[in-house]
Amino acid sequence: MPVFLGGQIGGSGYVEILVQLVPSKYLHPEIGLMAFGPEFYFNGSAGFVAELPFQNGFAPYAALGGAVILTAGPTSAESCEKDTPPCPKQSSSDDRLFGYARLGLAKYIPGRHDVRLALDAGIWAGKYREHDPNTSERFLWPMGAASVLVGLP
């Protein structure tokens, strides 16, 4: 089964390393992950891409899936005055849990390692929670994405 590995900005998260499996010509499961610090950031997603490849290498597609984005880290206390000793560090965190829907166009470039370039647009719909103070709200955000995936041998 062919496997594509690469990166994506937007789409199913802010920035992700993306793995797309290609068990069939038309339906591809995809998984995205990204984590870094020192302030903690994690983005994970999973979904499916349905595409209709043409002989000229172009493939319009639709994608559906779900994702989570978690952030946490220290913040300065807002009540501190400039003339006082250093403010105590506080911790804050938030998360976004959402579904996504995307429509786009991919271009396959054949070679020793096939390359898939893609642009798409869509929406994120879900819930945003801030943990200090404990608040939450629903959101519906438009999004755009660009990705580059390389076929693994």
Side-chain angles (χ1 to χ4, degrees):
M1 167 175 41
V3 175
F4 282 81
L5 175 67
Q8 178 171 268
I9 297 173
S12 51
Y14 294 136
V15 176
E16 287 185 316
I17 295 171
L18 195 65
V19 175
Q20 194 174 88
L21 308 173
V22 188
S24 78
K25 188 175 181 179
Y26 304 105
L27 188 62
H28 312 196
E30 66 179 7
I31 298 169
L33 291 172
M34 178 61 74
F36 55 85
E39 292 187 15
F40 178 72
Y41 170 86
F42 172 81
N43 185 156
S45 67
F48 288 93
V49 175
E51 67 181 20
L52 183 60
F54 295 115
Q55 287 193 354
N56 63 5
F58 284 97
Y61 65 89
L64 292 172
V68 62
I69 296 174
L70 308 171
T71 59
T75 61
S76 295
E78 293 179 14
S79 61
C80 289
E81 299 292 329
K82 289 183 180 180
D83 299 332
T84 61
C87 295
K89 291 289 185 181
Q90 295 181 343
S91 177
S92 73
S93 64
D94 60 61
D95 60 73
R96 291 160 188 82
L97 181 61
F98 58 94
Y100 62 85
R102 305 173 0 230
L103 294 175
L105 183 64
K107 171 65 175 165
Y108 285 91
I109 302 170
R112 182 167 176 243
H113 299 286
D114 293 340
V115 175
R116 181 184 188 268
L117 306 174
L119 294 173
D120 62 50
I123 58 167
W124 288 359
K127 190 172 192 176
Y128 169 75
R129 292 188 314 172
E130 194 171 340
H131 298 281
D132 186 26
N134 195 7
T135 60
S136 68
E137 63 184 49
R138 296 199 175 278
F139 65 87
L140 180 64
W141 293 342
M143 56 60 89
S147 65
V148 177
L149 300 173
V150 176
L152 301 178

